Amino acid sequence: MTTPPEQDRLHTQLAFAMEIDKLRRVVRRNTLMDGSRRENDAEHSWYVGMLAMILAEHAPPGTDLDKVIAMLLVHDIVEIDAGDTFIYDAGAVEAQLGIERKAADRIFGLLPEDQAVRLRALWDEFEERKTPEARFAKALDRIAPIMANHHNEGGTWSLYKVTAEQVLEKVKIIEEGSPTLGSYATEIIELSVSRGHLARA
């Protein structure tokens, strides 16, 4: 007996749903703001999606916020295979690009073709940062760990001896997506330096 096409589609979608549950197991370098434990990728994706809703007025005019949220929900799914990369390790970041693309092929490929194409396109757009939506999404992705470290007495900055200059370099991406958020990020970095939670080179 042949399985009806709609049942095949449902089973394929559910297989993807089961696969992305693994995102809860991918532990990031950053801790929660209270420093109690490290966050996982699923928590991070939820948090930056919420930031998109809360900080929508700081996006470029005409930005499609639904698309921004969708990008933020899918942007770290590849880390199920690729793992979390420390953003201040330039060599690791460069090496990770090919690994993440291969992961995107596999994981999004679990979906029915139309959904695979849509979600993969969102992931590619986020990575390429060519649209206002992608730049704003990337700004939120970058500002979240800065906020966490600032409110956690330096957090991973102190642990991994990250300098203010390294963090300020990342602010350029925030400024691309939102000048307002870029200014705020610079302000809290300078405040972290003045409190001794972030060292100058």
Side-chain angles (χ1 to χ4, degrees):
M1 182 174 167
T2 305
T3 305
E6 64 272 15
Q7 285 296 317
D8 278 342
R9 182 176 176 86
L10 175 61
H11 290 155
T12 302
Q13 291 166 330
L14 290 174
F16 177 80
M18 291 175 66
E19 185 67 15
I20 63 170
D21 184 75
K22 295 176 183 176
L23 201 62
R24 304 175 203 251
R25 307 179 206 167
V26 181
V27 180
R28 294 168 53 84
R29 300 285 179 116
N30 278 92
T31 64
L32 304 182
M33 285 196 191
D34 67 359
S36 60
R37 63 173 174 83
R38 290 162 66 184
E39 70 175 349
N40 66 51
D41 265 350
E43 291 169 328
H44 169 73
S45 298
W46 164 80
Y47 185 70
V48 291
M50 287 298 299
L51 287 183
M53 295 172 64
I54 297 163
L55 302 174
E57 65 198 73
H58 305 293
T63 299
D64 181 346
L65 263 296
D66 287 342
K67 192 174 192 183
V68 172
I69 293 167
M71 276 186 206
L72 291 169
L73 285 173
V74 304
H75 81 287
D76 272 345
I77 284 175
V78 294
E79 293 189 2
I80 290 169
D81 287 359
D84 178 52
T85 305
F86 190 42
I87 193 173
Y88 298 106
D89 183 339
V93 169
E94 187 174 347
Q96 194 79 342
L97 293 175
I99 299 169
E100 290 190 348
R101 287 195 178 95
K102 188 179 289 187
D105 290 342
R106 184 191 77 79
I107 299 168
F108 296 125
L110 296 173
L111 282 163
E113 186 176 359
D114 60 320
Q115 292 181 317
V117 168
R118 177 174 176 267
L119 267 63
R120 175 60 189 265
L122 285 167
W123 185 82
D124 285 333
E125 184 175 342
F126 175 85
E127 290 297 316
E128 291 164 3
R129 292 198 342 260
K130 291 180 180 176
T131 63
E133 288 79 12
R135 288 192 289 269
F136 186 58
K138 185 68 85 167
L140 297 171
D141 184 48
R142 286 287 184 268
I143 202 167
I146 290 175
M147 291 167 59
N149 285 325
H150 173 67
H151 290 284
N152 189 23
E153 299 183 348
T156 52
W157 294 336
S158 300
L159 183 62
Y160 296 103
K161 296 180 171 53
V162 175
T163 66
E165 289 75 14
Q166 287 176 289
V167 183
L168 286 166
E169 183 66 26
K170 303 304 178 188
V171 171
K172 293 176 183 177
I173 287 177
I174 301 173
E175 289 171 342
E176 282 180 11
S178 171
T180 306
L181 295 183
S183 295
Y184 172 69
T186 301
E187 181 183 320
I188 63 173
I189 289 164
E190 296 297 343
L191 189 55
S192 289
V193 170
S194 70
R195 291 176 176 173
H197 299 155
L198 181 60
R200 293 282 186 194

